[in-house]
Amino acid sequence: MVVQGKNIIGFSLSAASDEFVTSFDPKDARPMEKFYMATNEEIEETLQKASEAFGVYKHFSGNRRADFLEAIADEILALDNVLVQTAVKESGLPEARIIGERGRTVGQLRLFAQLLREGSWVDATIETAQPDREPLPKPDIRKMLVPVGPVVVFAASNFPLAFSTAGGDTASALAAGNPVIVKAHMSHLGTNELVARAIAEAAKNTGMPDGVFSSLNGRGSSLGQKLVMHPVVKSVGFTGSYTGGMALYKAAAQREEPIPVFAEMGSVNPVILLPGKLKNSAKETAKQYAGSITLGVGQFCTNPGLLLGIAGEDLNTFLEELAKEIRNIAPATMLNEGIWKSYQSGKAKVLEQNGVTLLGAATEQEGNHLGTAAIALVSGEDFLSNPSLHEEVFGPFSLVVRCTDKEQLLEVIQSAKGQLTSTIMAEPDELKGHHDIVEAASKIAGRVLFNGVPTGVEVCHAMQHGGPFPSSTDSRFTSVGTDAIKRFVRPLAIQGFPEEALPDALKNSNPLGIWRKVNGELTRDAING
Amino acid sequence: MVVQGKNIIGFSLSAASDEFVTSFDPKDARPMEKFYMATNEEIEETLQKASEAFGVYKHFSGNRRADFLEAIADEILALDNVLVQTAVKESGLPEARIIGERGRTVGQLRLFAQLLREGSWVDATIETAQPDREPLPKPDIRKMLVPVGPVVVFAASNFPLAFSTAGGDTASALAAGNPVIVKAHMSHLGTNELVARAIAEAAKNTGMPDGVFSSLNGRGSSLGQKLVMHPVVKSVGFTGSYTGGMALYKAAAQREEPIPVFAEMGSVNPVILLPGKLKNSAKETAKQYAGSITLGVGQFCTNPGLLLGIAGEDLNTFLEELAKEIRNIAPATMLNEGIWKSYQSGKAKVLEQNGVTLLGAATEQEGNHLGTAAIALVSGEDFLSNPSLHEEVFGPFSLVVRCTDKEQLLEVIQSAKGQLTSTIMAEPDELKGHHDIVEAASKIAGRVLFNGVPTGVEVCHAMQHGGPFPSSTDSRFTSVGTDAIKRFVRPLAIQGFPEEALPDALKNSNPLGIWRKVNGELTRDAING
């Protein structure tokens, strides 16, 4: 398959504009292909198609939608090396990482397919009638989750596959029964087109309606805003910067009909180093964290940007070892020029703050957009008094906060804004004496880890990727794992309908064999009519 | 118990202000008691108490919280006739209605207690570790719902008990593990104080922390806004007007940390009369609807304000019968002066619109704030071209839209904004031929009824009370039924924690015996460690 630079509008390729955006190779610092920007007419056509497709697609059974998702996975794998090399070129990420990410993307699609085939995710809840109840008869009421309507997905810079065109947002929105419109990310326009065409192909081959999926090229500030403001659109998925996420969130709240924007905006993911852990394994922990801080050139939402410990010999040992490890990390190409520039300026800004000292940095090398790892140190007092030290520096940089004692450590944790993750590095028997620390770490985060690294977000039923604001706009939902589907549905109750008019999930006979809550009890049994 | 006119701040009564609001008897049109408004210092004290109480209360077991809710129910019943008479006086509602509503309020509290004792509502989801998985080991991740923090509840005018001080919002927020601060409604300040003191008493007697519940007096535009903007507050429950709900929603979105406002803002609840139904039972249906339209002087969120049918003899029969029934309805006192004035002006405004004719109205009577029932008629064409006819007239008034044919009927349904309910009155065999009607009715509503009346919202697991905007601000949640608890929680994942540090709901041994999703399968079994 050859990249054509076009918009994918349902089953059609479209190129009506005379304006272009251009893909870019961050490693060689050179522009590559031209991509047609979506015109207003194309945007309108896309949304009309999505609206019509919704009327059809939402009635498709779980099995039919699962066929579609699995076909997308197959089509993505069929793109083979073309996709891998395009993504490598556009993102600067190594081939092994892209192949791993493709595996994750395909795995996500198949996991949602599995969820659909099993079927219980619709939360079917049934209360049967009690016509003889006093003082008033009880009606028959049945409730299940139904799709909300067309969803706009903003592809993310840092996961050209797994959080982009066919990533978790798209997979969960399609699984829920909604058409999806992807706004291609400027950092991987070619990758986007290849995957979008794979999705369109899968849709055609599995009998999905034209318009169940589209992908448009353009700038966030124009195309992105237009999509979010359009009345056909009912929900938005976004992974990216705080500025970008909040611009969409605020725009959506100003609509005549406000809609939710699920923006995952990253965080500093504090890591709390308790004394016992440092005493027993300062060096091993330093090695483990040097790896996590610099993984993928630090370009993960769950990158540990803040390490908190109590002053003492063991912390010094940890810091020495961490600095040593960091110095040996080879610089690598960052995702795009904007991210690289922000990293340079963000790191420089932290390093010039009062009381901040550089602990260790990797050696600079010749090359384009290289992210060079670094670790800095600051006292608890200086950290607490300086809000600019609480901001995320996206890239392979972490700030260590050296606290005077446990009380200051607690204060530092409590001062943190909402986080995707927090981590407690401790000996198991230390947890008992640190209830307040565990409590504080839980209050600020969506996921709390014990003796692990926050990078490497497992795609599973139990994952929570979304924490208190500002790490995400809505901590009640996750953007990773099967529960991500809950963002794009609403409960619909139907009352007094005859059996033959009920959807399968709510029929007495339970033809889908799913788990349901019937008169308060979970069961897979049929109801005796 | 005697009303003292004070604010209830945790376990204390407080009266620091020299400003007052006054309760009012709408039937006799006379002011009654004075109530101290909350000062800024009292607001601050309330929220600090709530914040501290949260740290304690959130760790209480389901059984302890259930004890508290049940004790509230008992204390409310112990108020006996004092409460009933106070509510009757302040609301103008008949005694039987208030007694019924008290039963509903107590029933809600006990239903949430039952949910807590059973325990599965926390959605425990567990994925056990696979240390040998290739290419990467799978970590142990466990997730459950945890409370978000202090919740502000705005008491509703139209349910002085069931949607107010100890109503569904308060019951579900407390059940979830959050402290609650109620802003008393101006229409029933005395009722509020009695119930608030009952809650405080129950809290004391069951060992709850001081501050788990408070209730303050003041105006929505000052006290209400201050509460919603305070950083300690994490969520808001509201039932009332579109204007009031949206003012809070927009304020909350402008906070440094935006928080959700669950505003249930009412709707016109369209009723679709299909031809077969009218042919077979025009008169019975008219009788049924005359009752629903005028129940509680039409002051229900689910009051059917819009009746849609196709022109013809059967519709005429229905209209004649409906008009006859409406003429015989005795006017009754409305909840307060503001609601009565809005009803008068809203009804008058509709009646002066182009093409609108009065079908029938009850006879006016002498008395204060009496709501007189009325029914008007308009053509489908005039309805479609006049947005002001789509607005809710809160009270015993309904507009009948006479459509030329099925296509226009469908168009009218599709033109409706988001609704709490929609209703299809049809013969069972008519549904097959009207898929598009059922589809349109489902798309706009949170609950769709077949051959029923939307008034009378059943409190149960399957209820959905909350529909697409503007009937509520978030159609993904309900404010009635056990699922109302989901508004005030967020999922928290914990990764790699040792068994002894896990909360009971997530321990391998499953000491609570709850339903959990373990590696994708629902089970109540323990996990073999």
Side-chain angles (χ1 to χ4, degrees):
Chain A
M1 204 187 277
V2 178
V3 170
Q4 299 189 21
K6 295 183 179 167
N7 297 287
I8 289 84
I9 302 183
F11 297 156
S12 314
L13 296 185
S14 186
S17 181
D18 48 12
E19 289 190 284
F20 299 90
V21 285
T22 309
S23 64
F24 194 84
D25 174 345
K27 198 169 234 157
D28 293 348
R30 61 175 187 88
M32 300 193 291
E33 283 110 338
K34 280 178 157 185
F35 290 77
Y36 291 87
M37 289 173 74
T39 64
N40 286 339
E41 292 69 28
E42 284 173 322
I43 297 171
E44 196 57 38
E45 188 195 348
T46 301
L47 291 164
Q48 286 318 317
K49 270 196 179 181
S51 180
E52 281 161 37
F54 180 51
V56 178
Y57 184 60
K58 69 175 168 184
H59 295 297
F60 282 6
S61 68
N63 278 328
R64 282 199 73 175
R65 288 185 213 152
D67 289 345
F68 177 32
L69 295 183
E70 286 167 349
I72 297 173
D74 293 342
E75 292 289 341
I76 287 173
L77 290 176
L79 289 169
D80 206 7
N81 207 33
V82 177
L83 177 63
V84 174
Q85 294 314 320
T86 304
V88 165
K89 222 38 183 160
E90 291 187 327
S91 68
L93 293 168
E95 188 177 297
R97 151 71 194 268
I98 292 293
I99 291 174
E101 197 183 319
R102 183 182 61 180
R104 181 189 167 117
T105 309
V106 165
Q108 279 178 165
L109 289 159
R110 290 180 177 155
L111 183 63
F112 279 108
Q114 211 180 309
L115 190 80
L116 293 177
R117 293 200 194 283
E118 196 282 326
S120 304
W121 72 274
V122 298
D123 274 358
T125 307
I126 297 173
E127 303 256 343
T128 54
Q130 296 173 17
D132 303 328
R133 191 184 64 173
E134 294 292 343
L136 289 170
K138 180 175 178 177
D140 180 288
I141 309 181
R142 302 175 185 227
K143 178 163 74 166
M144 67 181 286
L145 298 173
V146 299
V148 291
V151 175
V152 169
V153 170
F154 287 78
S157 65
N158 62 342
F159 279 90
L161 298 172
F163 278 82
S164 289
T165 325
D169 287 343
T170 298
S172 55
L174 289 176
N178 305 294
V180 167
I181 302 106
V182 167
K183 189 214 147 294
H185 198 282
M186 301 290 243
S187 288
H188 38 77
L189 291 159
T191 307
N192 177 77
E193 184 188 315
L194 292 172
V195 175
R197 284 163 59 191
I199 300 174
E201 196 59 28
K204 250 186 286 186
N205 294 342
T206 53
M208 298 296 125
D210 188 9
V212 72
F213 177 85
S214 295
S215 168
L216 302 177
N217 304 316
R219 299 207 163 72
S221 53
S222 52
L223 171 61
Q225 286 279 334
K226 277 176 201 157
L227 289 172
V228 169
M229 295 308 284
H230 198 285
V232 155
V233 173
K234 297 301 176 197
S235 195
V236 177
F238 171 91
T239 300
S241 70
Y242 176 80
T243 315
M246 286 310 287
L248 299 176
Y249 176 83
K250 292 197 166 164
Q254 296 305 319
R255 284 171 47 127
E256 195 185 321
E257 177 197 357
I259 57 170
V261 172
F262 298 98
E264 192 271 85
M265 304 180 289
S267 57
V268 292
N269 304 294
V271 177
I272 302 149
L273 307 156
L274 292 190
K277 184 74 180 179
L278 287 183
K279 187 180 184 73
N280 290 343
S281 42
K283 289 194 177 182
E284 295 81 342
T285 306
K287 279 196 174 69
Q288 187 184 13
Y289 266 85
S292 178
I293 290 165
T294 57
L295 191 70
V297 206
Q299 299 167 120
F300 290 115
C301 317
T302 54
N303 185 259
L306 203 59
L307 307 173
L308 317 175
I310 298 170
E313 265 317 298
D314 298 325
L315 183 63
N316 291 346
T317 308
F318 172 83
L319 295 178
E320 279 161 29
E321 190 67 22
L322 185 63
K324 197 172 87 186
E325 290 287 329
I326 290 293
R327 284 189 204 103
N328 292 329
I329 303 285
T333 313
M334 297 192 80
L335 290 159
N336 62 44
E337 190 162 25
I339 285 177
W340 175 77
K341 278 189 180 162
S342 293
Y343 177 61
Q344 299 297 100
S345 61
K347 187 168 64 169
K349 189 180 161 199
V350 170
L351 290 173
E352 73 198 14
Q353 297 299 305
N354 205 15
V356 174
T357 54
L358 183 68
L359 267 181
T363 313
E364 302 276 349
Q365 288 183 9
E366 278 297 302
N368 298 306
H369 309 118
L370 292 178
T372 309
I375 299 286
L377 178 69
V378 71
S379 71
E381 196 182 347
D382 284 333
F383 180 81
L384 285 168
S385 63
N386 188 345
S388 72
L389 295 176
H390 295 236
E391 302 303 322
E392 184 182 10
V393 177
F394 192 74
F397 174 80
S398 289
L399 181 64
V400 182
V401 182
R402 181 155 58 190
C403 301
T404 49
D405 51 22
K406 194 189 140 187
E407 283 60 46
Q408 194 179 54
L409 174 64
L410 185 62
E411 206 185 333
V412 166
I413 302 168
Q414 287 168 338
S415 77
K417 296 182 197 173
Q419 306 286 338
L420 291 170
T421 72
S422 62
T423 301
I424 298 165
M425 300 299 289
E427 293 299 312
D429 61 7
E430 284 191 283
L431 289 176
K432 271 189 198 150
H434 291 85
H435 269 307
D436 45 1
I437 296 277
V438 178
E439 168 86 20
S442 306
K443 196 171 176 178
I444 56 168
R447 179 168 56 112
V448 187
L449 296 93
F450 176 71
N451 286 347
V453 292
T455 45
V457 181
E458 184 72 24
V459 180
C460 65
H461 303 294
M463 179 45 65
Q464 174 62 23
H465 192 66
F469 188 86
S471 68
S472 53
T473 46
D474 195 336
S475 65
R476 291 164 304 165
F477 294 91
T478 177
S479 61
V480 175
T482 47
D483 279 348
I485 200 171
K486 294 186 181 170
R487 296 175 297 171
F488 304 124
V489 287
R490 66 179 177 97
L492 176 66
I494 58 184
Q495 182 171 327
F497 272 69
E499 171 84 358
E500 62 276 14
L502 293 170
D504 284 351
L506 299 178
K507 279 192 192 344
N508 281 341
S509 58
N510 194 13
L512 304 177
I514 58 175
W515 284 99
R516 313 191 292 185
K517 193 185 247 189
V518 178
N519 297 322
E521 298 286 338
L522 272 174
T523 174
R524 298 174 74 166
D525 293 345
I527 298 164
N528 297 322
Chain B
M1 204 188 276
V2 178
V3 170
Q4 299 188 21
K6 295 184 180 168
N7 297 287
I8 289 84
I9 303 182
F11 296 156
S12 313
L13 296 185
S14 186
S17 181
D18 49 11
E19 289 190 284
F20 299 89
V21 286
T22 308
S23 65
F24 194 85
D25 173 345
K27 197 169 235 157
D28 294 348
R30 61 175 186 86
M32 299 194 292
E33 283 110 337
K34 279 178 158 185
F35 290 77
Y36 290 88
M37 289 173 74
T39 63
N40 285 340
E41 291 70 29
E42 284 173 322
I43 297 171
E44 196 57 39
E45 187 195 347
T46 301
L47 291 164
Q48 285 319 318
K49 270 195 179 181
S51 179
E52 281 162 37
F54 181 49
V56 178
Y57 184 60
K58 69 175 168 185
H59 294 298
F60 282 6
S61 68
N63 278 328
R64 282 199 74 175
R65 287 187 213 152
D67 289 344
F68 175 32
L69 296 183
E70 286 167 349
I72 297 173
D74 293 342
E75 292 289 341
I76 287 174
L77 290 175
L79 288 169
D80 205 8
N81 207 36
V82 178
L83 177 63
V84 175
Q85 293 315 320
T86 305
V88 166
K89 219 44 181 157
E90 291 186 327
S91 69
L93 293 168
E95 188 176 297
R97 151 72 195 268
I98 291 294
I99 291 173
E101 197 184 317
R102 183 182 61 181
R104 181 188 167 119
T105 310
V106 165
Q108 279 177 165
L109 288 159
R110 290 180 177 154
L111 183 64
F112 278 109
Q114 212 179 309
L115 190 80
L116 293 177
R117 293 198 194 283
E118 196 281 326
S120 303
W121 73 274
V122 297
D123 274 357
T125 307
I126 297 173
E127 303 257 342
T128 54
Q130 295 174 16
D132 303 329
R133 190 183 65 174
E134 293 292 342
L136 289 170
K138 180 175 178 178
D140 180 288
I141 308 181
R142 301 174 186 228
K143 177 162 74 166
M144 66 180 286
L145 299 173
V146 299
V148 291
V151 175
V152 168
V153 170
F154 287 79
S157 65
N158 62 341
F159 279 91
L161 297 173
F163 278 82
S164 289
T165 325
D169 287 343
T170 298
S172 55
L174 288 176
N178 304 295
V180 167
I181 302 106
V182 167
K183 189 213 146 296
H185 198 282
M186 300 290 243
S187 288
H188 38 76
L189 291 161
T191 307
N192 177 77
E193 184 188 315
L194 292 173
V195 175
R197 284 163 59 190
I199 299 174
E201 195 60 27
K204 251 186 285 186
N205 293 340
T206 53
M208 298 296 125
D210 187 9
V212 73
F213 177 84
S214 295
S215 168
L216 302 177
N217 303 316
R219 298 205 164 74
S221 52
S222 53
L223 171 61
Q225 286 279 335
K226 277 177 202 158
L227 288 173
V228 168
M229 295 308 283
H230 198 286
V232 154
V233 173
K234 298 301 176 198
S235 195
V236 178
F238 171 91
T239 300
S241 70
Y242 176 80
T243 315
M246 286 310 287
L248 298 177
Y249 176 83
K250 291 198 167 161
Q254 295 307 318
R255 284 171 46 128
E256 196 186 319
E257 176 196 357
I259 57 171
V261 172
F262 298 98
E264 192 272 85
M265 303 179 290
S267 57
V268 292
N269 305 293
V271 176
I272 302 149
L273 306 156
L274 291 190
K277 184 74 183 178
L278 286 182
K279 188 180 184 75
N280 291 343
S281 41
K283 288 194 178 183
E284 296 81 341
T285 306
K287 280 195 173 70
Q288 186 183 16
Y289 267 85
S292 178
I293 290 165
T294 58
L295 190 69
V297 207
Q299 299 167 120
F300 290 115
C301 315
T302 54
N303 185 259
L306 203 59
L307 307 173
L308 317 175
I310 297 170
E313 265 318 297
D314 298 325
L315 183 63
N316 291 346
T317 309
F318 172 84
L319 295 178
E320 279 161 30
E321 189 68 22
L322 185 63
K324 197 173 85 185
E325 290 287 330
I326 291 293
R327 284 188 204 104
N328 292 328
I329 303 283
T333 314
M334 297 192 80
L335 291 159
N336 61 44
E337 189 162 27
I339 285 177
W340 174 77
K341 279 188 179 162
S342 292
Y343 177 61
Q344 299 297 101
S345 62
K347 187 167 65 169
K349 189 180 161 199
V350 170
L351 290 173
E352 74 197 14
Q353 298 299 306
N354 205 14
V356 175
T357 54
L358 184 68
L359 267 182
T363 313
E364 302 275 349
Q365 289 182 8
E366 278 296 303
N368 299 307
H369 309 119
L370 293 178
T372 308
I375 299 285
L377 179 68
V378 72
S379 71
E381 195 181 348
D382 285 332
F383 180 80
L384 285 167
S385 64
N386 187 345
S388 71
L389 295 175
H390 294 236
E391 303 302 324
E392 184 182 9
V393 177
F394 191 74
F397 174 81
S398 289
L399 181 64
V400 181
V401 182
R402 181 154 58 190
C403 302
T404 49
D405 52 21
K406 194 190 141 186
E407 282 60 46
Q408 194 179 54
L409 175 63
L410 185 61
E411 206 183 333
V412 167
I413 303 169
Q414 287 167 339
S415 77
K417 296 182 197 173
Q419 306 287 337
L420 290 171
T421 72
S422 63
T423 301
I424 298 164
M425 301 298 291
E427 293 299 311
D429 62 6
E430 285 191 282
L431 288 176
K432 271 190 199 150
H434 291 84
H435 270 307
D436 44 1
I437 297 276
V438 178
E439 167 86 19
S442 306
K443 196 171 176 179
I444 56 168
R447 178 166 57 113
V448 188
L449 295 93
F450 175 72
N451 286 347
V453 292
T455 45
V457 181
E458 183 73 23
V459 180
C460 65
H461 303 295
M463 179 45 66
Q464 175 61 23
H465 191 67
F469 188 87
S471 68
S472 52
T473 46
D474 195 336
S475 65
R476 292 164 304 165
F477 295 89
T478 177
S479 61
V480 176
T482 47
D483 280 348
I485 200 171
K486 293 187 182 171
R487 297 175 296 172
F488 304 123
V489 287
R490 65 179 178 96
L492 175 67
I494 58 185
Q495 182 171 326
F497 272 69
E499 171 85 358
E500 64 274 14
L502 292 170
D504 284 351
L506 299 178
K507 280 191 189 349
N508 281 341
S509 56
N510 194 14
L512 303 177
I514 58 175
W515 284 98
R516 312 191 293 186
K517 193 184 246 189
V518 178
N519 297 321
E521 299 287 338
L522 272 174
T523 174
R524 298 174 75 166
D525 293 345
I527 297 165
N528 298 321

